[in-house]
């Protein structure tokens, strides 16, 4: 089976993890901060807080920004459920902004219109979470302008996008947002098995997120209600969680980060090759926003004829091509339907869902494997 995505583990990664296993610290040792620096140095961010998943990262990002019971979070329906669930964990309401059918990302015009309506109804969101679908940035310039105009916070769900750029800046430096979140799940660009990170340019937010990662506990005397009882002393000053990453995972992240640029270059080269080879078939290849450099986490085609989607999936999988679908519109999940969402609420995301297929793309994919995928698509889609 040629999978749609796959990690690349080399001897250097294995050695780094094994070294941690025989060291003094399996968690809360030196590897965590080292991993944070390897990411923040690469993208030019002020700081980063490494955690055990992007889901946890989204949760503490929203908590640090003050989202609470009765608050309001908006995201795109074309994402993994975690981008919406983070609001629900905090008791906030969640709503969606439809996608631009060209970019598959949150549509900035739809966002502007929804904000104007929300302002009239006095129901503006507290936080908006755009997702950089496939690794291509959403229009962060426009979203950043709207955030200033309407006064909401922005968390970029950049789970797909480490190694990509927007308007010449690495994704991860929160230029038009408050916090950027990365995922290090094995199908993503670089991996720690499970892992995530919150990056910010705001030291107060970084401090708060690092506290929320560890139960809301501080050892900073300035934040305590009274002078320290002694060198053992800490205080829990708010409610947090245990969202720490282990040193084994962080050490793996450091050696993976050494190959980030190589991975993204290879992903782009493979994407270019798909673009050319799939020209003339009854499908659309991904639109390239000239302001973005995509990390190409995913390569998604859209069939011209939605009625062949199910059969094409079956036929491709029968030929051992591990196709997938990103994403089932979040508002159509039973959990969200129970909150009142229904078919037709976000027509662009729903139309996209009926035509999309994620085809294999990963840095160790060979040209021969890619040729197999291309040949199968020629036969099956035509
Ligand atoms: C993978 C992913 C997540 C969740 O990442 P985990 O690290 O598995 O928690 C969230 N949002 C998007 C868009 C993702 O692709």
């Amino acid at each position: 089976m040629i999978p749609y995505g796959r990690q690349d583990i080399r001897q250097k990664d294995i050695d780094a993890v094994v070294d941690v296993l025989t060291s003094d610290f399996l968690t809360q040792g030196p590897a965590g901060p080292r991993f944070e620096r390897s990411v923040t140095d690469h993208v030019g961010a002020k700081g980063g807080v490494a955690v055990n998943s992007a889901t946890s990262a989204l949760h503490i990002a929203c908590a640090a920004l003050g989202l609470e019971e009765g608050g309001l979070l908006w995201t795109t329906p074309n994402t993994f459920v975690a981008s919406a669930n983070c609001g629900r964990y905090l008791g906030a309401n969640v709503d969606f902004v439809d996608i631009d059918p060209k970019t598959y990302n949150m549509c900035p015009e739809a966002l502007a219109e929804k904000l104007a309506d929300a302002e009239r109804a006095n129901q503006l969101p507290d936080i908006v979470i755009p997702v950089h679908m496939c690794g291509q940035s959403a229009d962060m310039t426009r979203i950043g302008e709207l955030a200033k105009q309407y006064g909401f916070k922005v968390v970029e769900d950049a789970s797909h996008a480490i190694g990509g750029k927007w308007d010449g800046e690495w994704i991860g430096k929160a230029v038009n947002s408050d916090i950027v979140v990365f995922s290090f799940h094995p199908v993503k660009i670089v991996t720690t098995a499970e892992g995530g990170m919150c990056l910010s340019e705001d030291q107060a937010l970084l401090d708060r997120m690092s506290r929320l990662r560890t139960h809301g506990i501080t050892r900073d005397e300035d934040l305590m209600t009274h002078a320290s009882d002694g060198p053992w002393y800490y205080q829990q000053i708010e409610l947090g969680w245990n969202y720490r990453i282990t040193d084994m995972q962080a050490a793996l992240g450091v050696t993976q980060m050494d190959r980030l640029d190589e991975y993204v270059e290879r992903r782009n080269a493979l994407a270019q090759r798909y673009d050319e080879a799939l020209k003339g078939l009854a499908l659309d290849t991904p639109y390239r926003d000239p302001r973005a450099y995509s990390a190409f986490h995913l390569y998604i085609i859209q069939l011209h004829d939605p009625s062949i989607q199910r059969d094409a999936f079956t036929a491709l999988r029968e030929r051992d091509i591990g196709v997938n679908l990103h994403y089932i519109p979040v508002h159509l999940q039973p959990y969200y339907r129970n909150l009142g969402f229904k078919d037709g609420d976000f027509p662009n995301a729903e139309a996209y869902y009926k035509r999309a297929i994620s085809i294999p793309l990963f840095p160790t994919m060979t040209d021969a494997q890619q040729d197999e995928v291309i040949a199968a698509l020629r036969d099956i889609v035509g």
Side-chain angles (χ1 to χ4, degrees), residues 53-55 58 79-80 82-83 131 157 159-160 183 185 188 195 327:
S53 72
T55 303
L58 289 163
T79 185
F80 185 56
S83 322
V131 176
D157 183 345
S159 291
H160 299 184
S183 171
H185 182 277
K188 308 290 163 70
Y327 287 98

Side-chain angles (χ1 to χ4, degrees), residues 126-361:
D126 301 292
I127 297 179
V128 173
I129 304 190
V131 176
H132 304 322
M133 189 64 190
C134 305
Q136 176 163 269
S137 179
D139 185 346
M140 287 312 301
T141 309
R142 184 71 184 122
I143 293 170
E145 285 167 6
L146 291 167
K148 285 206 185 81
Q149 186 183 340
Y150 289 97
F152 57 85
K153 306 289 185 190
V154 180
V155 177
E156 294 174 60
D157 183 345
S159 291
H160 299 184
I162 192 169
K165 291 183 177 177
W166 174 255
D167 202 18
E169 294 268 11
W170 291 109
I171 291 173
K173 188 173 166 72
V175 179
N176 301 294
S177 65
D178 298 279
I179 296 167
V180 182
V181 166
F182 289 140
S183 171
F184 305 112
H185 182 277
V187 295
K188 308 290 163 70
I189 312 274
V190 292
T191 190
T192 60
E194 296 281 0
M197 197 176 290
C198 308
L199 298 95
S200 182
E201 300 305 297
D202 179 334
Q203 193 57 48
L205 282 176
L206 290 165
D207 292 345
R208 180 123 195 245
M209 291 189 291
S210 106
R211 198 159 67 228
L212 290 171
R213 164 179 65 183
T214 308
H215 309 281
I217 282 173
T218 187
R219 289 175 187 279
D220 179 351
E221 210 169 350
D222 292 344
L223 299 176
M224 292 183 187
T225 53
H226 58 75
S228 168
D229 290 355
W232 65 86
Y233 196 64
Y234 59 81
Q235 278 190 348
Q236 184 199 344
I237 58 172
E238 61 181 329
L239 185 62
W241 299 271
N242 177 355
Y243 281 169
R244 293 185 300 260
I245 193 168
T246 68
D247 274 43
M248 284 90 77
Q249 292 169 303
L252 175 58
V254 172
T255 50
Q256 289 270 309
M257 279 301 294
D258 290 340
R259 303 197 295 275
L260 173 62
D261 291 339
E262 182 191 320
Y263 286 155
V264 172
E265 279 161 29
R266 177 68 183 151
R267 285 175 176 279
N268 271 274
L270 287 163
Q272 189 77 39
R273 216 163 157 260
Y274 269 142
D275 285 352
E276 279 151 30
L278 300 178
K279 253 185 218 148
L281 300 195
L283 54 82
D284 294 329
T285 55
Y287 166 77
R288 310 294 191 87
D289 188 325
R291 295 166 297 177
Y293 172 61
S294 178
F296 266 108
H297 161 52
L298 297 170
Y299 192 95
I300 296 178
I301 56 170
Q302 289 211 80
L303 302 171
H304 291 170
D305 178 3
S307 73
I308 69 164
Q309 187 195 44
R310 193 182 275 257
D311 290 342
F313 253 85
T314 309
L316 286 161
R317 287 201 173 163
E318 269 166 12
R319 287 174 65 153
D320 277 340
I321 315 268
V323 286
N324 218 310
L325 210 168
H326 302 89
Y327 287 98
I328 306 160
V330 176
H331 68 286
L332 300 182
Q333 295 291 352
Y335 174 82
Y336 284 95
R337 282 183 190 269
N338 285 340
L339 295 172
F341 295 100
K342 57 187 188 309
D343 295 280
D345 282 349
F346 303 100
N348 293 345
E350 292 169 31
Y352 160 92
Y353 172 59
K354 295 192 170 85
R355 300 206 292 129
I357 303 182
S358 306
I359 61 175
L361 181 70

